[in-house]
Amino acid sequence: MGVIIGVAALVAVLSLGDAMQAFVRSEIDRVTDVQSVTIEPRTFRLIDGSWEPVRNPLVLTLADLSSLKRETPSAQAAVMSRGGSARVSWPGSGKQRKATIAAVTEDIAITDRRPLADGRSFTPREALANAPVVVLSWRLAEELADGRPATSLIGQEVRVGPLPRVVIGVFAARQGERGYSARIPYAGAAATLGNSAVAGAPSIALKARSVDAVATLTSEIEDWLALRFQRWEDRIEIIVAEAELAEIARAFLIMKLFLGLLAGISMLVGGIGIMNIMLASVTERTREIGIRKAIGANVRDIRVQFLTEAVAISAVGSGLGVVLGLSIAALAVGVMHLMVDAEGLQVVISPWTLVMSATLAVIIGLVFGTYPARRASHLSPIDAIRHE
């Protein structure tokens, strides 16, 4: 029972810990941009304490984007974007608003997982062909709809700058949303934004495969820039959320230390249980030990016998504890789903957890069974046989 409870606690804690880490990582990926590394051409330079515009700033191209995708294996996606502003109007209501326009390439759905209230984002083919489509922010759609539901604009033709575009999606409302925004295919940037784009300079944002891969991705980008542009540090700025990444790494480290402490306590409880069981077994079987030594068993034979029993108890308890621990973890996740909206939280059965549990079972049996086995092997045969 001591081993079962100890291993069950260990497996439950580790499984829930893995589930929580996976959930937290997915939420970080979904609602933040800490996994993004942005490359922006420098348009201003600090000279003698004042910012001066850069002459002939570097202009990134779609060829650069394709090259970056090939040379940065740590990136799951890369997006080129160009920002600006334009008037957006809907003839159905006569309303118009000045909005921030983002012209982006097709991987935007991977790097920016902003949810849609209804509709869809544009496809890769639409992005490359400059299809006349647009995705509106909730507030902009609500203003243009003028009393109608914001999603009623889907399928309607609005004018973005000088060109008409069909609304194919509306972003979900965000708390504290200010201003108006819209998203169009990158190929339509020049015709829609004209000279209103900020400095006329496109930027490239790459998304790392995980939070831990951001540093590797940054190094790959620096290597790419060094091979492609001379003195790139003066011409290009790499933007990384360093402070946020440091805080996330610190939080994950604290979580791992906490889970390790809980696991250690759980296994200590199981180990002490084994030692007590084996000590009681030595006391109860003192006569048996004396008889075995009297008929020829040596110290090693007795020690191996009790160590084998300790390991066997640990192994059986470990197997039952794993099943019980996974059941507890599944029950705990089910309760969390009932109490909070956490669809991404799932039980994680890590092979590492199962292997570690089996290994620890053997180690616990050997460590905590050594003292009882040693005590049994050093009993005097005469005193052991006379024991009542």
Side-chain angles (χ1 to χ4, degrees):
M1 289 300 298
V3 178
I4 290 173
I5 293 172
V7 173
L10 173 66
V11 172
V13 167
L14 292 180
S15 296
L16 287 173
D18 291 341
M20 290 301 297
Q21 285 201 35
F23 176 72
V24 170
R25 288 177 183 275
S26 66
E27 287 298 293
I28 290 173
D29 182 20
R30 186 175 66 87
V31 302
T32 72
D33 59 353
V34 295
Q35 290 178 218
S36 295
V37 181
T38 304
I39 305 172
E40 286 188 355
R42 294 184 186 273
T43 54
F44 287 87
R45 185 183 304 170
L46 186 62
I47 302 177
D48 296 331
S50 62
W51 291 98
E52 301 291 339
V54 175
R55 295 181 180 179
N56 301 320
L58 182 68
V59 178
L60 297 171
T61 66
L62 290 174
D64 294 326
L65 178 66
S66 299
S67 176
L68 262 175
K69 287 182 177 181
R70 292 192 302 269
E71 301 298 328
T72 53
S74 297
Q76 61 174 310
V79 172
M80 176 168 280
S81 62
R82 183 181 175 191
S85 61
R87 289 278 177 181
V88 182
S89 61
W90 182 43
S93 64
K95 294 277 187 177
Q96 65 171 338
R97 292 290 184 271
K98 188 175 183 179
T100 300
I101 309 299
V104 296
T105 52
E106 65 273 13
D107 283 349
I108 189 63
I110 301 175
T111 59
D112 183 2
R113 297 183 179 179
R114 185 176 172 185
L116 293 169
D118 198 3
R120 62 177 179 84
S121 183
F122 42 80
T123 65
R125 178 175 294 181
E126 289 172 335
L128 292 174
N130 187 21
V133 294
V134 63
V135 181
L136 305 178
S137 69
W138 177 270
R139 190 167 180 224
L140 177 57
E142 194 174 43
E143 287 288 326
L144 295 179
D146 194 23
R148 302 176 181 85
T151 54
S152 65
L153 262 66
I154 294 178
Q156 300 293 321
E157 187 177 90
V158 299
R159 185 169 285 274
V160 182
L163 303 174
R165 292 184 178 274
V166 176
V167 179
I168 60 172
V170 175
F171 288 114
R174 293 191 296 184
Q175 187 175 4
E177 182 177 1
R178 296 181 180 180
Y180 311 106
S181 61
R183 182 181 291 171
I184 64 173
Y186 183 81
T192 302
L193 302 176
N195 295 325
S196 70
V198 179
S203 63
I204 298 177
L206 296 94
K207 187 167 188 176
R209 297 188 181 277
S210 66
V211 173
D212 301 326
V214 173
T216 303
L217 175 59
T218 304
S219 298
E220 292 172 354
I221 293 172
E222 291 174 349
D223 293 341
W224 179 84
L225 290 171
L227 292 174
R228 199 170 185 87
F229 305 106
Q230 293 182 350
R231 299 181 61 186
W232 65 267
E233 296 91 344
D234 297 332
R235 308 174 68 191
I236 290 179
E237 181 179 7
I238 298 178
I239 301 174
V240 184
E242 294 181 356
E244 290 82 354
L245 286 170
E247 287 298 318
I248 291 172
R250 180 171 173 269
F252 279 147
L253 178 59
I254 292 174
M255 182 181 294
K256 289 178 181 178
L257 292 175
F258 176 69
L259 292 176
L261 179 62
L262 289 181
I265 293 173
S266 301
M267 297 314 297
L268 180 63
V269 170
I272 292 174
I274 291 178
M275 186 169 65
N276 289 335
I277 290 169
M278 297 310 298
L279 284 172
S281 178
V282 169
T283 302
E284 292 175 356
R285 298 162 62 184
T286 302
R287 289 174 61 87
E288 173 194 334
I289 295 169
I291 293 172
R292 287 201 67 200
K293 296 192 75 172
I295 61 176
N298 56 30
V299 171
R300 182 177 179 276
D301 294 331
I302 302 299
R303 187 176 297 175
V304 169
Q305 174 189 347
F306 280 87
L307 281 177
T308 303
E309 290 182 11
V311 172
I313 291 172
S314 298
V316 175
S318 175
L320 296 174
V322 167
V323 176
L324 179 60
L326 292 177
S327 301
I328 293 173
L331 179 62
V333 169
V335 172
M336 291 180 188
H337 283 169
L338 292 176
M339 297 180 65
V340 297
D341 182 17
E343 295 182 1
L345 184 61
Q346 302 293 335
V347 178
V348 177
I349 304 176
S350 171
W352 178 82
T353 299
L354 300 180
V355 171
M356 190 180 73
S357 300
T359 303
L360 283 177
V362 177
I363 294 175
I364 285 174
L366 292 173
V367 172
F368 288 91
T370 297
Y371 174 68
R374 179 182 175 83
R375 180 180 174 182
S377 64
H378 285 83
L379 287 173
S380 169
I382 297 175
D383 294 336
I385 293 174
R386 290 172 58 189
H387 180 78
E388 293 293 337

